[in-house]
């Protein structure tokens, strides 16, 4: 065998790449991570998005649910997440009433169901989420293990849960479980984050999206990363370095080539400080999407992958006043759903399918600073300023395909503003802070922006459509890469990011599993 520089080269320094690097370096492997941006962390970073405004925004990824406690413990990560007291607030279309889920106040939540004329749905809500918690408790432990088969999961869960959540469109299960259109929509949103699908999706893509939203750490809780998302990846970087991994930022990978006289070695060419360099490795972990890997291997990278969301970050002087008689701290203390009734979601999907920006645009809002004010400088905290992260649904990449991105970005931002304003008593634009240049503190990221900035095909936040966290009974599981769900189709090149099975979201699961595949295969050498 020809000599090599490192055991493992990892392409992409996002959170999964850092987790893989830490596990492998801890196991005694020589590891190098090559990240094209100047800052490690990929989509899981914090940034001062607005000049002169002392706020560390989680610019892309923003909440944590799927990062297993076991990974935190295994690597000794200094990661803290804070729970949100309120699960969600969903105003009615006219904004004058709404459903507030108070996670520590069952009586208050029951009263809120009653206030929207959905008294019977309160018991249905508890029964429905008891089922999802059962699924989470049974299935989530398997995500850090070799893949189970469909038959094994079906037997594990039983016929009722399997039918309701894995074989029928999730929208049908939701519609059969609840009477209120508003309650149905509140539940349905978890099936549509970053996923462009009908409420009656026969392909079950919405089911897969829903599943990942409710199984995290056996509870499905989505918590705030204390210190911002960058605090999570900074801890991962620090531990990987302490274990001996070499982390190199500002390195654009140009190609991954076979070494002529040894098919087990790969040569990775990259550009650093304007100079082209190379490193050879026995294993390559691709923390990138499949089209990106294909391009690096010198093959066509054409694809039909597309995302379906718009992300808007804002800094406000204070929280806005609502049409509904509810404290804004409660409304914004969880996930604030706007124009996301069940019928509204379906209409928005149909409008987008016709090439229209949905009107009204379904949106949801997260206020990081209410739960974790540490991301704000002291003067901002004292002033009452707050961050808002808005995530708009049903805006597929196809809307931008033949459009000017600058024009479409503004149109989408306007649609987001109009949607938010529909439930307020004031214009949210009047509450925007201004930066050092006098510009309003608002930034909007389209799918094209995400594609260009992060290499996400079509702006898809999952790198590709999500897959089940198990395999069909006839899929091969003969190699470590197949068993761990990281197979790229090429020997010793494994996916370690969201493209892997059980990838997507800030979880580190794919990074862990790619590292386990390397260690299992290497143990046979």
């Amino acid at each position: 065998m020809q000599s090599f520089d490192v055991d493992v080269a990892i392409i992409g320094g996002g959170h999964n790449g850092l987790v893989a690097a830490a596990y492998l370096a801890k196991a005694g492997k020589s590891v190098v991570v090559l990240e094209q941006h100047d800052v490690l962390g990929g989509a899981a970073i914090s940034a001062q998005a607005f000049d002169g405004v002392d706020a560390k925004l989680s610019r892309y990824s923003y909440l944590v649910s799927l990062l297993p406690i076991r990974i935190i413990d295994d690597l000794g990560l200094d990661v803290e997440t804070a729970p949100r007291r309120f699960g969600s607030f969903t105003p009615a279309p006219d904004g004058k009433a709404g459903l507030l889920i108070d996670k520590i106040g069952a009586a208050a939540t029951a009263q809120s169901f009653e206030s929207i004329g959905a008294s019977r749905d309160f018991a249905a809500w508890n029964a429905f989420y008891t089922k999802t918690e059962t699924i989470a408790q049974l299935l989530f432990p398997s995500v850090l293990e070799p893949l189970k088969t469909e038959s094994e999961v079906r037997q594990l869960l039983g016929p009722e849960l399997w039918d309701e959540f894995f074989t029928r469109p999730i929208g049908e299960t939701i519609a059969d479980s609840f009477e209120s259109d508003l309650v149905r929509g509140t539940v349905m949103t978890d099936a549509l984050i970053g996923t462009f699908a009908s409420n009656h999706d026969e392909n079950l893509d919405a089911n897969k999206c829903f599943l990942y939203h409710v199984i995290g750490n056996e509870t499905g809780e989505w918590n705030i990363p204390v210190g911002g998302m960058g605090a999570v990846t900074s801890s991962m970087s620090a531990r990987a370095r302490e274990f001996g991994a070499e982390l190199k930022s500002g390195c654009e990978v140009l190609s991954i080539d076979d070494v002529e006289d040894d098919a087990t070695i790969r040569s990775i060419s990259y550009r650093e400080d304007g100079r082209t360099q190379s490193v050879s490795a026995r294993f390559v972990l691709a923390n990138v999407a499949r089209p990106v890997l294909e391009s690096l291997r010198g093959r066509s990278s054409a694809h039909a992958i597309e995302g379906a969301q718009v992300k808007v970050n804002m800094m406000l002087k204070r929280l806005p006043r609502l049409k509904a008689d509810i404290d804004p701290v409660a409304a914004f203390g969880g996930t604030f759903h706007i124009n996301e009734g069940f019928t509204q979601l379906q209409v928005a999907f149909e409008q987008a399918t016709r090439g229209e920006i949905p009107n009204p645009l379904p949106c949801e809002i997260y206020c990081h600073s209410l739960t974790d004010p540490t991301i704000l400088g002291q003067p901002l905290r004292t002033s009452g300023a707050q961050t808002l992260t808005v995530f708009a649904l049903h805006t597929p990449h196809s809307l931008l395909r033949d459009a000017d991105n600058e024009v479409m970005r503004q149109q989408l931002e306007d649609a987001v503003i109009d949607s938010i304003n529909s439930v307020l008593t004031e214009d949210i634009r009047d509450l925007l802070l201004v930066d050092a240049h006098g510009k309003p503190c608002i930034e909007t990221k389209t799918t094209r922006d995400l594609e260009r900035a992060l290499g996400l095909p079509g702006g898809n936040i999952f790198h590709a459509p999500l897959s089940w966290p198990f395999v069909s009974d006839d899929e091969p599981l003969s190699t470590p890469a197949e068993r761990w769900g990281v197979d790229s189709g090429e020997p010793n090149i494994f996916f370690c990011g969201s493209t892997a099975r059980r990838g997507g979201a800030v979880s580190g699961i794919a990074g862990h599993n790619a590292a386990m595949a390397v260690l299992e295969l290497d143990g046979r050498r």
Side-chain angles (χ1 to χ4, degrees), residues 20-32:
Y23 270 105
L24 290 167
K26 184 181 180 183
K29 303 301 177 188
S30 56
V31 181
V32 63

Side-chain angles (χ1 to χ4, degrees), residues 247-258:
L247 310 182
K248 296 170 67 71
S249 58
C251 296
E252 179 190 3
V253 175
L254 306 174
S255 64
I256 303 171
D257 301 309
D258 297 336

Side-chain angles (χ1 to χ4, degrees), residues 360-404:
L361 184 61
C363 295
E364 41 200 72
I365 298 177
Y366 310 87
C367 181
H368 186 126
S369 51
L370 271 178
T371 303
D372 172 32
T374 67
I375 64 168
L376 303 180
Q378 190 59 53
L380 284 178
R381 290 190 223 177
T382 302
S383 73
Q386 302 288 355
T387 65
L388 285 192
T389 294
V390 187
F391 202 85
L393 306 185
H394 287 334
T395 55
H397 189 62
S398 58
L399 293 178
L400 289 87
R401 189 162 291 131
D402 299 318
D404 180 278

Side-chain angles (χ1 to χ4, degrees), residues 5 20 49 85 91 97 130 180 203-204 223 231 261 296 358 390 396 412 417 435 445 449 457 497 513 524:
D5 298 316
R85 171 180 169 175
T130 295
S180 164
N203 293 326
L204 304 185
N223 293 335
D261 55 351
L296 293 174
V390 187
L412 289 167
I417 294 295
D435 66 13
K445 303 291 185 182
D449 293 327
N513 292 344
R524 297 179 178 177

Side-chain angles (χ1 to χ4, degrees), residues 260-275:
E260 282 188 21
D261 55 351
D262 194 335
T264 66
I265 305 295
R266 299 298 200 289
S267 177
I268 300 93
S269 174
Y270 62 96
R271 183 181 294 112
E272 181 181 19
D273 295 329
R275 295 182 300 160

Side-chain angles (χ1 to χ4, degrees), residues 83-89 100-103 224 316-322 324-336 365-373 384-388 424 426:
R84 300 177 295 169
R85 171 180 169 175
F86 297 98
S88 63
F89 176 65
L100 179 67
I101 305 299
D102 185 341
K103 294 189 292 184
I224 297 288
L316 301 185
K317 302 169 189 174
R318 59 168 172 80
L319 292 177
R321 290 184 287 267
L322 310 174
D325 183 20
I326 183 173
D327 182 355
V329 171
F332 288 94
T335 301
F336 191 153
I365 298 177
Y366 310 87
C367 181
H368 186 126
S369 51
L370 271 178
T371 303
D372 172 32
Q386 302 288 355
T387 65
L388 285 192
L424 304 182
E426 55 190 332

Side-chain angles (χ1 to χ4, degrees), residues 100 102 104-114 122:
L100 179 67
D102 185 341
I104 65 172
T109 300
Q111 194 281 324
S112 188
F113 274 89
E114 184 177 349
F122 177 62

